[in-house]
Amino acid sequence: MTNDLDAIVIGAGFAGLYQLLCLRDRLGLSVQVLEAGEGVGGTWYWNRYPGARCDSESHGYCYSFSEELQQEWEWSERYPGQPEIMRYLNHVADKFDLKRSIRFDTRVVGARYDEASNRWHVRTDAGEEFNTKFLITAVGCLSTANVPKISGLDDFGGDWYHTGQWPHEGVDFTGKRVGIIGTGSTGIQAIPVIAQTAAHLTVFQRTANYSVPAQNAPLTPEAKRYFKDNMAELRRVMHSNANGQPFMVSERMALATPAEERMALYEAAWEKGGLEFRATFQDLLVDRAANDTASDFIRTKIQTIVKDPETAALLSDIDHPYAAKRPPIDTHYFETYNRDNVTLVNVKAAPIERITPTGIATRNGEYPADIIVFATGFDAMTGPMLRMDIRGRDGVSLADTWQAGPRNYLGLQIEGFPNLFTITGPGSPSVLCNMPVAIEQHAEWISGCIAHMREQGLERIEAMPDASDAWMEQVNAAANATLLPQATHSWYLGANVPGKPRIFMPYAGGMARYRQICAEIVANNYEGFALTG
Ligand code: N01
């Protein structure tokens, strides 16, 4: 293997694998993928917590670039579980012979751009150095675990785990008193599963959350056949809508729909389950009054399911519009609070003060625990980029460049960092879209751009300042046209990490619109980018 390459891709998840295939097999470039884990999978390699499952449906949560792959792979359930996604990604990597270009167990710690040679010098944790013309980060949006700094953790006498760094051998909760902090999508998936074996599970809830039943089930032979036979149409739908999912958002307006009919539609969407609930009406994410109709429906459901009135009140006391934070879906989440071995603790009223050697202490007292699970999320989107020491022209660091928050052009390129591309970074639809759809568009755009440069004899591409400013205005305007910024403590805004700048990070204008903008920019000869020979 040579350390002198055309392209280095950081990360071997969905994004890194496909980017490798595009650049190595379609363009014939010399490419090396550097991956911190010991296998492919990215997010799914690390997130092995109990109940880990994708919230997008399996027939949409996969690559669409190969008809053969789509026809031969068979998902077993409506939503793929973490082990099945790992099997899928390993199958893809083996089928396309990708692993020979991936260096596992290799964490990139820094990258420096050298203007004179127009090369990136990439350093690994083992002290090895690679150099490359193009550097592509495929580091994921949710790969930097956020373990809150709570005093006393070092002296905790039991074991503790973050869900995003889960041990490969699993954790046995049998007979243990478990404390779990966090009720985001991850906590909501893990809580019902942990409760099944733990002696007692104490859930520490700071912000109550909406959740809709996933209604997961094994796929019937008819469903499997249907998805295979209709793959082209499903792909067309996923590529033509805002969220990259294999369903369209209804054109009905919540407030224009008579109350009785509206309730019937919500009831049907609840029974059907999944993220499609938020597609019941067109105006749910843009009109607070419309959103209230969905929020009230879910609150009433929670109060009906949860038998203890005090617990039901705590779970349904939700302070943000439905889906303004990433909406979780679940399997028996609210029902779990009816178990005798589960207790809900309100840490908004009485915050966690410290971890003791034997448990978790809030202002109201101590809760004993043998195991603590942190389902406390991630330093999202910028965290995975900033934990590497990336330096562009004149040695300027990305950390300094993004001190006031991420700034880039199309979420693809950063001024001052030539030939560096970021897959599904801030400023792109990424986490607001079904990820494989967002990833495929980015990987194809980047390889199209590199192919263009090679054809034209161009050596360097860099985002221009005016284009970056204009794009950031578009990102802000798109967010402000929705209710999303109203969830003021969401990770979309960076608000979950103390000291992080509060900027709405993903592009909320929709995947279809974004795809069109990217295509128009190419058609206009890469408008907004400086391309030089
Ligand atoms: O993380 P989160 P997550 N004391 O940040 C709480 C994706 N995902 O891992 O809201 C007490 O959403 C925090 O409370 P608050 C999905 O995109 C995808 O659950 O800040 N509590 C919150 O309850 C998702 O959005 C799938 O008040 C503290 C929780 O921890 C993203 O991952 C499946 C605390 C963190 O929630 C992240 O979800 C699962 C503290 N000091 C997840 N610090 C798929 O389907 C934090 N919290 C693909």
Side-chain angles (χ1 to χ4, degrees), residues 210-263:
Y210 301 98
S211 187
V212 168
Q215 312 286 19
N216 187 36
L219 287 175
T220 61
E222 294 72 33
K224 290 178 186 174
R225 190 71 263 149
Y226 176 83
F227 295 140
K228 284 196 197 298
D229 290 349
N230 293 279
M231 205 38 91
E233 173 59 12
L234 289 164
R235 199 155 49 218
R236 193 195 59 72
V237 171
M238 289 193 282
H239 286 191
S240 67
N241 64 23
N243 54 28
Q245 297 285 355
F247 55 80
M248 298 303 282
V249 175
S250 166
E251 285 178 6
R252 282 182 303 254
M253 297 294 198
L255 296 180
T257 305
E260 207 172 308
E261 191 185 335
R262 193 168 59 217
M263 286 301 282

Side-chain angles (χ1 to χ4, degrees), residues 84-345:
E84 192 167 21
I85 299 173
M86 286 294 285
R87 284 198 294 280
Y88 172 72
L89 289 173
N90 275 287
H91 171 77
V92 173
D94 292 337
K95 179 179 173 69
F96 297 100
D97 193 18
L98 299 176
K99 288 179 183 167
R100 69 179 159 88
S101 301
I102 306 172
R103 173 81 76 88
F104 294 108
D105 208 7
T106 302
R107 182 174 286 284
V108 171
V109 292
R112 181 176 54 81
Y113 175 70
D114 176 52
E115 179 136 38
S117 61
N118 190 35
R119 308 282 294 173
W120 279 93
H121 299 279
V122 178
R123 286 189 326 280
T124 73
D125 53 354
E128 204 173 356
E129 197 161 302
F130 294 79
N131 77 78
T132 178
K133 182 162 165 186
F134 295 106
L135 178 61
I136 298 132
T137 60
V139 289
C141 298
L142 299 160
S143 50
T144 304
N146 172 39
V147 179
K149 291 184 178 53
I150 304 174
S151 70
L153 184 56
D154 289 344
D155 299 323
F156 179 57
D159 296 319
W160 66 268
Y161 307 93
H162 185 279
T163 49
Q165 298 170 333
W166 204 256
H168 287 209
E169 64 280 12
V171 176
D172 185 5
F173 295 103
T174 314
K176 305 281 190 197
R177 296 165 304 175
V178 183
I180 183 167
I181 304 174
T183 53
S185 298
T186 301
I188 281 175
Q189 285 187 335
I191 286 163
V193 183
I194 297 174
Q196 284 168 21
T197 53
H200 196 89
L201 178 64
T202 309
V203 179
F204 295 84
Q205 172 188 278
R206 189 163 66 184
T207 306
N209 216 339
Y210 301 98
S211 187
V212 168
Q215 312 286 19
N216 187 36
L219 287 175
T220 61
E222 294 72 33
K224 290 178 186 174
R225 190 71 263 149
Y226 176 83
F227 295 140
K228 284 196 197 298
D229 290 349
N230 293 279
M231 205 38 91
E233 173 59 12
L234 289 164
R235 199 155 49 218
R236 193 195 59 72
V237 171
M238 289 193 282
H239 286 191
S240 67
N241 64 23
N243 54 28
Q245 297 285 355
F247 55 80
M248 298 303 282
V249 175
S250 166
E251 285 178 6
R252 282 182 303 254
M253 297 294 198
L255 296 180
T257 305
E260 207 172 308
E261 191 185 335
R262 193 168 59 217
M263 286 301 282
L265 288 165
Y266 281 138
E267 201 62 64
W270 182 271
E271 283 310 312
K272 188 172 186 194
L275 291 175
E276 201 171 340
F277 187 88
R278 76 182 154 172
T280 312
F281 295 104
Q282 181 73 217
D283 46 354
L284 290 187
L285 272 181
V286 291
D287 181 333
R288 184 69 194 243
N291 191 286
D292 284 347
T293 66
S295 307
D296 289 347
F297 176 86
I298 300 175
R299 283 196 191 91
T300 305
K301 280 286 182 197
I302 299 169
Q303 287 155 6
T304 313
I305 295 167
V306 180
K307 297 205 170 79
D308 173 53
E310 210 175 306
T311 307
L314 259 181
L315 288 166
S316 57
D317 183 16
I318 308 172
D319 65 0
H320 52 276
Y322 167 67
K325 285 169 93 171
R326 158 70 152 72
I329 63 172
D330 71 272
T331 299
H332 307 314
Y333 173 63
F334 294 115
E335 290 83 347
T336 296
Y337 292 94
N338 294 332
R339 296 176 66 109
D340 292 337
N341 69 335
V342 177
T343 310
L344 182 65
V345 174

Side-chain angles (χ1 to χ4, degrees), residues 409-454:
Y409 182 36
L410 297 175
L412 274 166
Q413 270 229 314
I414 307 158
E415 181 199 341
F417 297 78
N419 291 357
L420 168 70
F421 294 97
T422 52
I423 302 187
T424 64
S428 74
S430 63
V431 291
L432 298 178
C433 179
N434 181 22
M435 284 307 278
V437 173
I439 283 167
E440 283 188 326
Q441 186 268 346
H442 259 191
E444 286 167 8
W445 194 95
I446 292 166
S447 61
C449 174
I450 292 175
H452 168 79
M453 289 175 70
R454 282 157 62 90

